[in-house]
Amino acid sequence: MEEDGRVGEEERESQREAFLRDAESSLLVVDNLPRVGLDKVDKLRGVLLKIFKEIGQLAPVVTSTSADGQAQTPGASDGGVFLPVDAATQQSKGFAIVRYKKPSHAEMALKATNGYQLDKNHQLVTCSLADVRRVQAVTDDFREPDEVARLKQAPATVVDTSAWLMDVRGREQFCIRHGDETEIYWQDSVLRAERDYARTHWTDSKVLWSPRGSYLTTFHAQGIALWGGSAWEKVVRFPHKNVKFALFSPNEKYVITSNALEVERDNPKDPQSIKVWEVATGRCLRGFLGEPAGKKMEWPVFTWNHEDSMFARMGPGVISVYGVETMSLLDKKSIKIPDVQRFTWSPTDNVMAYWTPENSDAPARVTLLELPSKRELRNNALFSVDGIVMNWHPQGDYLCCLVNRMTKSKKGRFPTLELFRMRPKGIPIETMEFKEGESITNFGWEPRGHRFAFMLSDGSPGGRWDVQIHTMQGNPAPGAAASVDMIKPVWTLEQKTISHLFWSPQGSILLLAGLTSTQNGSLEWVHVSDKEIISSGEHFQATDVKWDPSGRFVASSVPFQRSSLESGYMIWNCVGRELHSAGHDVFYEFLWRPTPPSVLVKSQLNEMKKNIKSFRDRYEKEDQELKESRRSGKAATRQREREEWQRILQQAAERFELEREMRMRARGGKFDYDATRIPQDGASLGFRRIETVIEHVVELREEVDMERGKLVNSDDDRD
Amino acid sequence: MTTLARLGRPSGDELGRAQATGAAGKGWVLWFGELRRLPRELKTKAKRGKHTNTHTYTQRVVRTIRANAVALSGIVYLFIAMRPMILKGHERPLTMVKFNREGDLLFTAAKDKVCNVFFSSTGERIGTYVGHNGSIWGMDINWDSTRLLTGSADATAKLWDAASGTCLQTWEYQAPIRAVAFGPDEQVMSVSQVKYKQEEVKVQVSRISEPNAVAGGASPMEITGFKENVVRILWYPTGEFFLAASEDGSVSKYDAETGSLIHRAQLHTEKIHDMQWGNMYAHFITASTDMTAKLVDVRSMEVLKVYKKETPVYSASISPLLPHVLLGGGQAADQVTTTSAARGGFEAILYHVAYQTELGRVRGHFGPINTLSFSPNGKQFASGAEEGYVRLHTFDPEYFNRAYE
């Protein structure tokens, strides 16, 4: 009997286990329910029953055998949904237990109902009993997982990509490419440019700095690679066959690459043309299709918003905005804008500007759209529009639309500037109109300022341009509301033979450059606030001019394609003093390393501005000391070299003296080396000149001035 | 001779080079025969300004001058007006210029098969040595300037009476002759024969008294084992050894008695073109296509100093007077037409012997300088170039009065 009993006991035990196992897998815990009073418990259960019954047959949760005290709570008896009620508050506890007859149904229900929106405030959180057990098993004491501990012990292999910013002298860096070489230099205002790193065949085609300067991107047939840190190690690489383009997000979190593969040759299920990568992990987040064959890819296809959260691309009649979190279209659909021509993101806000041309009944429009809300902030209707170029202020304070408009006859063209003020309420717009035949190029906002400059031509031949500078913060017109700013002209430089304008990144200094082949690379530095031309210079044949990110230096360069003779670069300081120049036979490009935005808060900046004098004194002293130490160091080196040379000569003289006899012997005793004769002309040949008619070769040369290809008479050009 | 010290604006190229070689600060540049003028850009600007406003005109000029002065970054460019003598005695590229021991005569050899001799003080040509039937590649003048030894591509070497120009003796060889040199006693000479058909490169040391070194009974000493042609031979004045510079970039030291190799130093990665003695025979300088000239200690055969240039160096000479070294060269002759004269690097460049920095440049040639030499008193130098001219420059007093620190 005892044995039987034991057998029975074991059987029961195993049945119980099977039951529990079954029960466990067929039970679901539904959380995040509303807490309702006793009167509404049944109603809630009804709602829940309706939801869960659809999936499979339910089984009662609380059986008579259940020992759970709360099960006896009146009104909580169930048809498969058990709602426990707190006896103290007389309210349901905010969760429910659901039991299915079959574990498979429970599984289905788990997937189907997790995240179910019960009402506005309640989204169901469904989990299996196993999940509950797992959560319960977690102790309250935190224990570091082994993995983390191991990682902590391991040496840091992460490349410090910001190390270069900690340079004691606060120097800038730049990268040049020439021949097969890619070189990175330090640029100091006192010292000569010093090479930091160089590598032959570093890149297959070009290089690209990331927007904050953390990485240098090299392009290869297999993909792109990012390099950084003080040793220029490879940080990460993104395999993308035949990659041609790359675009970083402004905060360097992501990078988009493209190999310009046509849609026809691409795989729509797994597009290879455009890829979005996460820089930190090296993961490919998503692929996109490129352009169809025959249409040239206009890079960048995608553009980023300022905080790396959205990126957008324009298609025919649509702008597709993608969220980074989901890597999918915002609200799962593109924004339909019939005939949209171009869009640009604000550099500081989640605002996008786009323009649409005129069609039969509607005017052309410039629209400001806020995202992701898709709220239209402002739109500006314009008539007789030929084209619009939109230009954001670097700090996002203003937007300028350069509108090329047609005269009534549609034959002539004239430009207008539509200037949006983004900060005041309602985004007021001001318009500047110009005469027919005039044209505007090189519109540029003053960084960190409120001024803008552009080049205006009246259309007469000769390539002369007026440089006009205006401010957005002119005094209000008399009678206008006191707080309203107006556009006001600041200064006009007339009749300049130039082709480009470059604002200093710090504002207030404007660089006028003539970079076309006939303008010889003339450069003129203009102080806008003082209305003064600071200095002028020339870099013959220069085609590229670039300010460094701090606004301390300007680099001008001549690629070898322009002139193989002048090929190279030149560095000037911010007021046009030439600092350094170098020529390379096959020079490609010059790239300043960008810097991240300042981490100083406004109060710190103001503090610094207040104490500018003490800073200046300190830095000037540092520079002076450096110069002196260099000078004395050089002098010391020279002294050493000189002394060494003297020693060599001394030894030579001693040996020479020692060997006198030997030399004499070698010459058969005939000649004495040290017998000094001062020969007359030809005396050594036995000549004695009686009379000589000297035919001087008097030079009256005409030089061909190679640089300008003109014949210049030597006398003519002396001042 | 006038000396003009003047501020002018160098081209970016010159400035860059001056800075690159450390001449900045102390640097100065010699210009011979050229007065520098204000840059053309300034001139045109001034003209334009006149039309509008005289005030802006002056202001602009002043400002531009200031800008230019600043652009010099502390370099004072000293332009020395000095008239060089252009010696037109050859029709083809020069191969060698050489002063006699006293420095009053200048001997020049060229590919036009003749040698010339000039008065170094006036540039007057005294005479021409006619007789060779091929380019003259090497020559040597003896101690008292009575005999001239020449070696030619016509596979002969000739001994001339220097004063009369009569050929005293001719030796025939199996291959063109590159370098010739008198031994210290002028009883022996060494001749280098180039690689030609089956003939390998060899240096022969033979007695001058023998009518034909090859046919002569006492067989001359023959030295072989060179990879490439020997372009220059220098005898040490004690007669212990001589040096042979080869186009494989090496300089070899041979025992003059036995002809055995004492030392071979691989100095350059490319062809050596020239080798000249330094003061008191303690060191010599080599010039090479690898764009360097090297100053080498003759005892240890160790490189003491290296002078770098942007174009191949074809000739280098050490000043007997001042701690200076002069380098000549330029872009290879076959590439000259592809570049302008300004980029060809046809200037003679003066370096400080110890600092190895550039001191100045002398312009004038419009082809690569094949050969140059300081006069023995250090007051002149001659350069011969691919275009066929020899330029004889006499240094201005300013050159000697400067402190080269």
Side-chain angles (χ1 to χ4, degrees):
Chain A
M1 265 321 276
E2 271 186 45
E3 273 186 313
D4 284 1
R6 207 174 297 133
V7 169
E9 187 81 355
E10 278 175 7
E11 253 172 28
R12 266 205 304 282
E13 191 63 26
S14 69
Q15 270 173 2
R16 223 169 90 91
E17 271 174 23
F19 170 77
L20 278 173
R21 222 179 16 251
D22 235 27
E24 205 162 292
S25 48
S26 58
L27 274 178
L28 294 176
V29 179
V30 183
D31 204 358
N32 207 20
L33 291 174
R35 287 165 201 268
V36 293
L38 283 176
D39 48 333
K40 285 186 179 167
V41 166
D42 282 336
K43 201 179 168 196
L44 178 62
R45 189 167 43 239
V47 173
L48 291 176
L49 269 171
K50 215 172 171 182
I51 296 165
F52 287 95
K53 236 176 13 199
E54 264 180 32
I55 293 152
Q57 228 178 344
L58 298 170
V61 179
V62 185
T63 57
S64 51
T65 53
S66 170
D68 198 325
Q70 286 176 3
Q72 270 82 39
T73 316
S77 71
D78 55 79
V81 174
F82 171 56
L83 273 170
V85 171
D86 193 332
T89 59
Q90 292 294 303
Q91 271 196 331
S92 69
K93 283 191 168 179
F95 71 91
I97 299 169
V98 180
R99 185 177 170 202
Y100 282 93
K101 277 196 172 152
K102 287 183 183 165
S104 59
H105 286 157
E107 216 172 291
M108 276 160 66
L110 177 67
K111 279 180 195 158
T113 58
N114 191 17
Y116 183 90
Q117 199 76 38
L118 188 67
D119 60 29
K120 213 167 110 191
N121 298 325
H122 297 90
Q123 196 179 19
L124 298 188
V125 177
T126 315
C127 52
S128 67
L129 201 61
D131 286 334
V132 177
R133 289 265 162 77
R134 190 174 50 78
V135 173
Q136 277 173 340
V138 174
T139 58
D140 285 345
D141 304 326
F142 173 70
R143 226 185 95 250
E144 212 164 61
D146 295 343
E147 180 75 355
V148 174
R150 197 176 52 75
L151 281 176
K152 271 191 179 168
Q153 279 166 8
T157 51
V158 181
V159 176
D160 182 6
T161 53
S162 57
W164 71 287
L165 293 166
M166 305 306 286
D167 181 55
V168 188
R169 296 264 311 148
R171 295 174 294 178
E172 297 294 330
Q173 279 201 334
F174 61 86
C175 170
I176 56 165
R177 280 197 312 118
H178 63 93
D180 298 328
E181 299 288 331
T182 304
E183 299 181 319
I184 289 157
Y185 283 88
W186 289 105
Q187 172 64 25
D188 190 296
S189 47
V190 174
L191 304 174
R192 287 224 320 268
E194 182 194 328
R195 191 156 77 182
D196 182 38
Y197 188 77
R199 200 159 155 170
T200 314
H201 295 297
W202 200 356
T203 178
D204 288 357
S205 54
K206 56 188 170 181
V207 292
L208 177 77
W209 287 109
S210 62
R212 286 164 170 244
S214 302
Y215 311 103
L216 183 75
T217 315
T218 56
F219 287 74
H220 311 274
Q222 307 84 17
I224 62 168
L226 269 51
W227 308 76
S230 41
W232 290 101
E233 295 158 77
K234 193 189 279 175
V235 182
V236 62
R237 57 192 193 88
F238 301 109
H240 196 176
K241 219 164 182 193
N242 299 325
V243 64
K244 288 192 175 64
F245 308 107
L247 176 77
F248 279 90
S249 63
N251 300 310
E252 302 177 343
K253 281 192 200 151
Y254 309 97
V255 60
I256 301 179
T257 59
S258 172
N259 58 10
L261 190 68
E262 299 93 344
V263 174
E264 289 78 0
R265 292 169 51 210
D266 213 342
N267 173 10
K269 293 225 175 72
D270 179 22
Q272 294 297 315
S273 181
I274 301 171
K275 287 185 175 184
V276 185
W277 309 86
E278 192 174 38
V279 171
T281 59
R283 269 190 313 150
C284 177
L285 299 178
R286 197 185 154 167
F288 288 97
L289 289 171
E291 303 287 355
K295 195 181 168 208
K296 202 166 170 274
M297 184 178 269
E298 201 178 309
W299 192 258
V301 171
F302 285 97
T303 48
W304 289 90
N305 73 334
H306 71 285
E307 53 180 18
D308 292 12
S309 62
M310 287 178 276
F311 56 106
R313 127 188 234 183
M314 199 176 72
V318 289
I319 295 176
S320 310
V321 185
Y322 295 84
V324 156
E325 296 282 306
T326 57
M327 273 296 146
S328 59
L329 284 165
L330 285 188
D331 304 338
K332 302 207 164 54
K333 55 178 185 280
S334 297
I335 307 167
K336 281 208 175 62
I337 303 158
D339 222 7
V340 61
Q341 294 294 305
R342 198 160 280 277
F343 75 94
T344 58
W345 289 96
S346 156
T348 49
D349 300 279
N350 281 330
V351 174
M352 171 191 281
Y354 63 84
W355 75 276
T356 49
E358 272 164 293
N359 60 23
S360 53
D361 45 356
R365 267 176 208 283
V366 175
T367 311
L368 294 172
L369 190 68
E370 189 185 67
L371 288 160
S373 65
K374 300 185 184 171
R375 191 163 61 92
E376 208 175 287
L377 296 180
R378 185 81 161 87
N379 80 59
N380 190 18
L382 297 157
F383 296 94
S384 309
V385 171
D386 194 29
I388 298 178
V389 180
M390 294 173 292
N391 210 322
W392 283 99
H393 182 262
Q395 277 70 43
D397 293 345
Y398 309 104
L399 169 70
C400 169
C401 296
L402 167 57
V403 186
N404 197 13
R405 299 173 79 163
M406 295 175 284
T407 51
K408 280 192 183 124
S409 63
K410 310 241 172 195
K411 277 182 188 148
R413 297 278 186 281
F414 68 99
T416 62
L417 294 175
E418 307 284 330
L419 295 140
F420 294 64
R421 292 176 196 273
M422 297 302 294
R423 303 301 176 213
K425 215 176 152 202
I427 312 185
I429 303 172
E430 274 176 86
T431 305
M432 288 174 74
E433 292 209 11
F434 298 89
K435 290 195 212 72
E436 186 184 341
E438 289 184 328
S439 60
I440 288 179
T441 60
N442 274 281
F443 181 93
W445 289 103
E446 177 186 26
R448 298 158 194 268
H450 301 280
R451 289 174 288 215
F452 57 90
F454 55 84
M455 283 158 54
L456 179 73
S457 158
D458 57 5
S460 57
R464 298 283 176 87
W465 298 85
D466 285 355
V467 178
Q468 289 201 6
I469 301 155
H470 299 261
T471 176
M472 293 296 283
Q473 288 194 323
N475 295 330
S483 62
V484 176
D485 281 325
M486 283 189 50
I487 297 173
K488 205 177 149 192
V490 175
W491 193 27
T492 301
L493 292 105
E494 282 172 6
Q495 299 292 298
K496 291 281 177 192
T497 318
I498 53 165
S499 63
H500 289 82
L501 299 178
F502 300 97
W503 278 102
S504 156
Q506 296 292 344
S508 73
I509 295 177
L510 186 63
L511 176 57
L512 280 49
L515 305 180
T516 63
S517 54
T518 53
Q519 288 162 341
N520 293 348
S522 66
L523 303 168
E524 207 162 21
W525 280 260
V526 170
H527 199 285
V528 174
S529 307
D530 296 354
K531 296 187 191 173
E532 190 196 8
I533 297 171
I534 312 171
S535 64
S536 61
E538 182 190 290
H539 185 186
F540 189 61
Q541 295 288 16
T543 58
D544 289 298
V545 169
K546 286 182 182 111
W547 283 91
D548 87 302
S550 68
R552 289 181 292 174
F553 309 107
V554 175
S556 56
S557 57
V558 183
F560 84 105
Q561 295 95 330
R562 175 65 167 268
S563 162
S564 57
L565 296 180
E566 303 293 332
S567 155
Y569 67 92
M570 231 162 161
I571 297 175
W572 315 71
N573 73 2
C574 62
V575 291
R577 202 183 84 188
E578 190 186 323
L579 298 177
H580 172 68
S581 76
H584 292 287
D585 282 344
V586 184
F587 187 81
Y588 296 110
E589 59 181 341
F590 184 103
L591 299 163
W592 289 107
R593 187 174 195 174
T595 48
S598 170
V599 291
L600 297 177
V601 295
K602 203 154 188 188
S603 61
Q604 285 172 306
L605 275 174
N606 288 340
E607 185 72 13
M608 287 178 81
K609 271 183 194 158
K610 221 166 72 189
N611 301 327
I612 188 81
K613 202 172 171 295
S614 67
F615 279 110
R616 194 176 60 207
D617 292 350
R618 205 178 83 204
Y619 290 134
E620 270 175 5
K621 195 158 157 260
E622 264 176 27
D623 283 1
Q624 198 57 37
E625 277 167 6
L626 192 68
K627 270 186 202 160
E628 265 161 28
S629 78
R630 250 179 89 241
R631 216 175 287 144
S632 59
K634 208 163 150 190
T637 319
R638 292 212 154 177
Q639 168 125 18
R640 210 180 53 241
E641 283 175 336
R642 204 161 54 232
E643 279 166 3
E644 194 193 317
W645 183 246
Q646 284 303 327
R647 198 172 44 74
I648 291 172
L649 286 185
Q650 186 68 33
Q651 283 172 357
E654 280 165 19
R655 178 166 284 280
F656 191 67
E657 197 55 40
L658 274 175
E659 289 176 347
R660 177 192 296 270
E661 287 300 313
M662 287 175 78
R663 276 199 305 275
M664 293 278 283
R665 242 190 341 269
R667 293 185 198 292
K670 288 196 283 186
F671 310 115
D672 184 358
Y673 233 90
D674 305 320
T676 44
R677 289 189 294 161
I678 299 174
Q680 299 293 310
D681 270 352
S684 49
L685 281 188
F687 286 119
R688 199 163 66 83
R689 188 167 69 240
I690 300 159
E691 192 188 19
T692 326
V693 180
I694 303 168
E695 280 183 65
H696 280 303
V697 185
V698 178
E699 272 190 292
L700 222 160
R701 284 192 299 147
E702 280 191 322
E703 294 179 40
V704 177
D705 195 331
M706 294 308 291
E707 287 182 344
R708 288 168 187 83
K710 278 188 205 158
L711 208 61
V712 188
N713 192 301
S714 300
D715 294 329
D716 155 65
D717 236 43
R718 280 172 210 167
D719 59 327
Chain B
M1 286 179 202
T2 38
T3 303
L4 284 178
R6 173 174 300 208
L7 281 176
R9 197 171 110 108
S11 75
D13 182 42
E14 287 159 6
L15 186 63
R17 203 165 308 152
Q19 285 181 342
T21 51
K26 299 269 186 278
W28 50 278
V29 167
L30 289 170
W31 295 79
F32 291 88
E34 280 180 45
L35 294 173
R36 269 301 278 233
R37 52 193 105 92
L38 277 172
R40 156 171 293 273
E41 162 226 33
L42 177 67
K43 197 89 179 176
T44 49
K45 252 188 198 163
K47 271 177 197 159
R48 193 184 306 150
K50 251 183 213 165
H51 294 299
T52 51
N53 186 334
T54 24
H55 177 66
T56 36
Y57 156 58
T58 28
Q59 211 177 12
R60 264 193 197 157
V61 172
V62 169
R63 189 168 281 145
T64 320
I65 291 174
R66 201 186 299 139
N68 290 336
V70 168
L72 291 165
S73 6
I75 300 180
V76 177
Y77 275 70
L78 182 77
F79 303 111
I80 297 185
M82 203 195 71
R83 198 172 49 215
M85 286 181 275
I86 301 178
L87 313 182
K88 296 174 181 171
H90 293 283
E91 290 163 353
R92 298 220 37 220
L94 272 291
T95 54
M96 197 167 178
V97 293
K98 197 175 171 68
F99 285 94
N100 67 342
R101 185 175 54 85
E102 288 92 343
D104 62 330
L105 299 175
L106 174 67
F107 293 86
T108 62
K111 291 183 181 174
D112 61 0
K113 307 173 189 175
V114 295
C115 280
N116 279 319
V117 59
F118 298 89
F119 285 123
S120 62
S121 58
T122 62
E124 187 187 355
R125 186 168 64 88
I126 304 165
T128 302
Y129 302 90
V130 185
H132 273 299
N133 211 12
S135 302
I136 298 173
W137 282 106
M139 69 180 172
D140 198 7
I141 181 79
N142 73 342
W143 172 263
D144 53 4
S145 309
T146 54
R147 296 285 182 270
L148 179 72
L149 187 63
T150 55
S152 161
D154 63 4
T156 61
K158 283 178 190 285
L159 184 71
W160 310 80
D161 178 47
S164 66
T166 48
C167 179
L168 300 174
Q169 218 166 332
T170 301
W171 297 273
E172 283 167 15
Y173 299 89
Q174 271 74 50
I177 300 304
R178 199 63 198 266
V180 290
F182 281 114
D185 61 354
E186 296 169 16
Q187 299 302 308
V188 291
M189 63 168 188
S190 49
V191 172
S192 90
Q193 193 178 302
V194 306
K195 205 183 270 179
Y196 180 71
K197 291 183 180 168
Q198 268 82 48
E199 290 295 311
E200 61 174 329
V201 179
K202 59 177 99 157
V203 172
Q204 289 194 356
V205 182
S206 55
R207 298 207 70 78
I208 287 178
S209 52
E210 289 157 10
N212 190 320
V214 178
S219 73
M221 185 162 75
E222 275 196 3
I223 298 164
T224 53
F226 297 99
K227 274 188 229 134
E228 297 292 336
N229 297 342
V230 170
V231 293
R232 289 282 189 265
I233 296 169
L234 294 179
W235 278 84
Y236 194 66
T238 60
E240 291 165 85
F241 59 85
F242 62 86
L243 302 169
S246 163
E247 283 186 338
D248 65 3
S250 70
V251 172
S252 312
K253 193 198 276 184
Y254 286 94
D255 188 303
E257 289 289 317
T258 63
S260 59
L261 179 69
I262 301 169
H263 191 106
R264 176 167 291 170
Q266 189 66 41
L267 299 175
H268 292 278
T269 53
E270 283 176 57
K271 279 185 185 179
I272 294 179
H273 293 274
D274 191 19
M275 177 168 68
Q276 295 191 19
W277 279 120
N279 299 341
M280 299 175 281
Y281 304 94
H283 32 256
F284 61 90
I285 191 165
T286 54
S288 164
T289 320
D290 66 7
M291 305 192 191
T292 59
K294 289 182 179 172
L295 189 77
V296 185
D297 183 79
V298 74
R299 292 276 149 194
S300 63
M301 298 288 272
E302 270 169 22
V303 176
L304 300 175
K305 302 282 175 186
V306 178
Y307 310 96
K308 287 180 189 143
K309 199 170 166 291
E310 287 118 346
T311 49
V313 190
Y314 296 141
S315 190
S317 185
I318 303 170
S319 167
L321 193 64
L322 290 171
H324 292 171
V325 167
L326 196 63
L327 267 59
Q331 227 143 31
D334 56 346
Q335 288 173 23
V336 167
T337 48
T338 63
T339 51
S340 79
R343 279 273 162 158
F346 305 144
E347 305 101 334
I349 308 181
L350 200 64
Y351 288 80
H352 193 283
V353 72
Y355 312 151
Q356 304 163 80
T357 54
E358 184 181 323
L359 297 172
R361 297 186 168 218
V362 183
R363 276 193 181 161
H365 282 292
F366 47 92
I369 293 176
N370 286 340
T371 171
L372 52 75
S373 176
F374 271 107
S375 73
N377 62 11
K379 293 179 178 175
Q380 282 184 310
F381 80 89
S383 57
E386 190 76 11
E387 85 254 4
Y389 292 148
V390 175
R391 290 173 78 94
L392 184 59
H393 299 267
T394 307
F395 289 108
D396 192 272
E398 189 74 13
Y399 168 80
F400 305 101
N401 298 337
R402 269 193 102 76
Y404 295 100
E405 298 310 327

